[in-house]
């Protein structure tokens, strides 16, 4: 269900990346901002259809629409993790996705009403979905045995890549055949169905689940490490100051930010590149844009599994494998993203280079992104919320930077600049993580004790010193 949940999160997030190509009146933009470097591969057919698009948005407007989702998204990450700790993952994620699906179903109406209302609705959608990844990350602190954690985290996160690789081509076909409005109706309806099933069958922890055996409950709880103290109560508070001054945590934040900058640049703008530079029609553009994310899905699942095998067999320490994964997940994408800007109209090479770049970026999942539960298992959800907040600033910043660069001309030269910026950020993130990253549980990881009361009954706390 976590995999399907992330599938729907990304389906609702990326549907606009393809739909916007059909929504915009291309004739108003193409006169002064078109590239004629590559031969037409069916784009003229789409442009004829899209010339009747009802929205006259320039590239800066489109950049705002593609990025404004993240204005709301970055606000709710940490509060979402806190709410999940207090009220449980079932209600927090279930209600957030239920409301997200309803908003998506009303998106065509809002877009027709006004540009400002459309932006507001996308911001609200991002706010609701900001709880998704921190909620699931925190859930693994209760559900995932330490040596299975990389694989389980990678499995649920891979739903995001799978959602992208399904949504991009499907949205292109739907927009061509049934109109751009249908893109939002289909994706919203699927997410609505998922949220109702989630609310009906999911439970917050192994102890609350009525359908798993006592043996399985005992295995999960014992492997995680449930310590029983004979105090009546030990009150702890979240060590915010220690978190914010922790170099290993700051290294995670930097690596996560770098990973997301390049990933969001391609996620939001690749359909536009395929259409405007390589001259594909909407359906083909959507399909080709999805190919890298098929590989990313595979790399995420396989990378997480191999990482845990290496750790279980003692072939490398958790610290070493996290750094190797992150170095590969940022260094290789930087190289191939730059190369993709210099192969001209060679479609096979372009798709191959974009695919390699996006696929290897997935190794940051069992790398720096899984590192949050290594350094502080008890606060894994909150830390991931902090990391995901910073890391999703590129969600709105990257598309707007691209939009501003393309105002001067939608040419290969402009796109090369886009790719060089992403590569530089990739490499900076890799360097910082390699120097300061750590997989050792930190001294502040159990929280600051604020009071100890007299001994009477047991208190369960999560301890992950085994990791």
């Amino acid at each position: 269900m976590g995999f399907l949940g992330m599938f729907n999160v990304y389906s609702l997030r990326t549907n606009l990346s393809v739909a916007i190509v059909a929504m915009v009146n291309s004739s108003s933009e193409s006169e002064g901002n078109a590239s004629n470097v590559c031969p037409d591969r069916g784009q003229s057919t789409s442009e004829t259809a899209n010339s009747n698009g009802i929205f006259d948005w320039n590239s800066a407007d489109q950049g705002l629409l593609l990025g404004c989702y993240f204005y709301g998204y970055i606000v709710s990450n940490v509060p979402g993790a806190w709410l999940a700790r207090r009220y449980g993952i079932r209600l927090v994620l279930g209600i957030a996705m239920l409301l997200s699906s309803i908003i998506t179903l009303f998106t065509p109406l809002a877009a027709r009403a006004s540009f400002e209302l459309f932006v507001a609705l996308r911001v609200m959608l991002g706010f609701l979905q900001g709880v998704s990844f921190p909620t699931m990350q925190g859930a693994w602190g209760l559900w995932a045995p330490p040596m299975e954690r990389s694989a389980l985290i990678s499995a649920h996160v891979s739903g995001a890549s799978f959602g992208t690789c399904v949504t991009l081509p499907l949205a292109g076909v739907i927009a061509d055949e049934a109109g751009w409005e249908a893109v939002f109706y289909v994706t919203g309806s699927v997410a609505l169905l998922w949220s109702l099933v989630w609310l009906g069958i999911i439970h917050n922890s192994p102890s609350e689940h009525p359908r798993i055996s006592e043996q399985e409950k005992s295995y999960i709880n014992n492997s995680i490490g449930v310590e029983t103290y004979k105090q009546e109560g030990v009150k702890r508070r979240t060590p915010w100051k220690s978190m914010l001054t922790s170099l290993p945590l700051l290294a995670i934040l930097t690596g996560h930010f770098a990973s997301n900058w390049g990933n969001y640049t391609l996620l939001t703008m690749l359909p536009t590149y395929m259409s405007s530079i390589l001259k594909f029609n909407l359906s083909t553009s959507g399909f080709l844009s999805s190919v890298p994310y098929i590989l990313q899905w595979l790399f995420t699942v396989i990378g997480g599994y191999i990482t845990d095998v290496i750790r279980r067999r003692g072939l490398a320490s958790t610290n070493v494998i996290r750094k190797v994964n992150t170095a590969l997940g940022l260094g290789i994408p930087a190289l191939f993203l730059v190369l993709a800007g210099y192969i001209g109209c060679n479609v096979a090479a372009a798709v191959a280079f974009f695919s390699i770049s996006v696929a290897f970026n997935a190794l940051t999942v069992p790398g720096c992104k899984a590192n949050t539960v290594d350094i502080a298992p008890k606060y894994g959800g909150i830390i991931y919320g902090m990391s995901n907040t910073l890391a999703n600033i590129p969600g709105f910043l990257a598309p707007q930077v691209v939009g501003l660069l393309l105002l001067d001309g939608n040419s290969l030269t402009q796109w090369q600049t886009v790719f060089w910026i992403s590569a530089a950020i990739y490499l900076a993130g890799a360097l910082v993580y390699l120097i300061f990253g750590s997989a050792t549980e930190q001294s502040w990881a159990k929280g600051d004790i604020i009071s100890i009361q007299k001994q009477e009954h047991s208190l369960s706390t999560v301890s992950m010193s085994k990791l």
Side-chain angles (χ1 to χ4, degrees), residues 242-308:
S242 298
M243 285 182 179
L244 294 173
T245 55
S246 169
L247 286 178
L249 176 54
L250 294 176
I252 292 172
L253 301 182
T254 306
H256 197 168
F257 178 94
S259 171
N260 279 17
W261 182 283
N263 205 38
Y264 284 145
T265 296
L266 293 181
L267 184 67
T268 56
M269 305 307 297
L270 193 53
T272 300
Y273 182 85
M274 291 291 184
S275 175
S276 62
I277 298 297
L278 299 182
K279 302 291 186 180
F280 285 103
N281 62 31
L282 189 54
S283 296
T284 307
S285 175
F287 172 75
L288 291 176
S289 298
S290 74
V291 172
Y293 295 96
I294 297 172
L295 288 178
Q296 187 180 67
W297 169 59
L298 292 172
F299 269 60
T300 303
V301 175
I302 296 171
Y305 173 77
I306 292 175
T307 295
D308 279 344

Side-chain angles (χ1 to χ4, degrees), residues 158-406:
S158 72
S161 302
F162 192 67
T164 302
C165 71
V166 170
T167 301
L168 290 179
L170 185 61
V173 173
I174 292 172
D176 269 347
E177 300 298 327
W180 61 267
E181 297 95 335
V183 173
F184 299 101
Y185 296 145
V186 171
T187 54
S189 297
V190 173
L192 178 62
L193 177 62
W194 177 90
S195 61
L196 294 175
V197 174
W198 172 274
L199 288 168
I201 68 172
I202 293 299
H203 297 270
N204 295 319
S205 69
S207 300
E208 295 179 20
H209 204 296
R211 294 185 298 277
I212 61 175
S213 67
E214 289 300 322
Q215 182 180 6
E216 186 176 1
K217 289 179 185 179
S218 177
Y219 167 70
I220 294 172
N221 288 333
N222 290 338
S223 63
I224 288 173
V226 177
E227 298 177 356
T228 301
Y229 295 88
K230 298 208 176 186
Q231 291 102 332
E232 183 176 282
V234 177
K235 293 185 178 180
R236 297 176 184 266
R237 64 186 173 194
T238 304
W240 295 108
K241 182 178 178 182
S242 298
M243 285 182 179
L244 294 173
T245 55
S246 169
L247 286 178
L249 176 54
L250 294 176
I252 292 172
L253 301 182
T254 306
H256 197 168
F257 178 94
S259 171
N260 279 17
W261 182 283
N263 205 38
Y264 284 145
T265 296
L266 293 181
L267 184 67
T268 56
M269 305 307 297
L270 193 53
T272 300
Y273 182 85
M274 291 291 184
S275 175
S276 62
I277 298 297
L278 299 182
K279 302 291 186 180
F280 285 103
N281 62 31
L282 189 54
S283 296
T284 307
S285 175
F287 172 75
L288 291 176
S289 298
S290 74
V291 172
Y293 295 96
I294 297 172
L295 288 178
Q296 187 180 67
W297 169 59
L298 292 172
F299 269 60
T300 303
V301 175
I302 296 171
Y305 173 77
I306 292 175
T307 295
D308 279 344
V309 169
I310 290 172
R311 293 169 65 220
R312 280 197 299 270
R313 295 184 179 178
L315 300 177
S317 68
T318 301
N319 187 52
V320 169
I321 196 62
R322 297 286 188 232
K323 290 189 175 183
V324 169
N325 284 342
T326 303
L328 292 174
L330 296 176
I332 292 177
L335 172 63
F336 281 91
L337 192 56
V338 169
L339 291 176
Y342 290 91
I343 46 80
C345 301
N346 187 328
V347 174
V351 173
F353 289 172
F354 285 133
S355 296
I356 292 171
S357 180
V358 171
F360 272 90
N361 185 277
L363 293 182
T364 59
V365 175
C368 60
K369 294 176 183 177
N371 195 197
T372 59
V373 288
D374 298 327
I375 66 171
K378 179 178 178 181
Y379 297 104
I382 290 177
I383 293 174
Y384 193 85
M386 295 168 61
S387 179
N388 213 35
T389 296
L390 179 66
N392 278 281
I393 291 175
F396 63 80
L397 195 57
Q400 291 185 52
V401 168
V402 175
L404 291 173
L405 288 171
L406 297 184

Side-chain angles (χ1 to χ4, degrees), residues 11-31:
S11 179
L12 300 187
R13 180 186 297 189
T14 60
N15 53 18
L16 182 61
S17 297
V18 176
I20 199 169
V21 181
M23 296 168 73
V24 174
N25 188 320
S26 61
S27 61
S28 63
E29 228 193 343
S30 59
E31 292 176 4

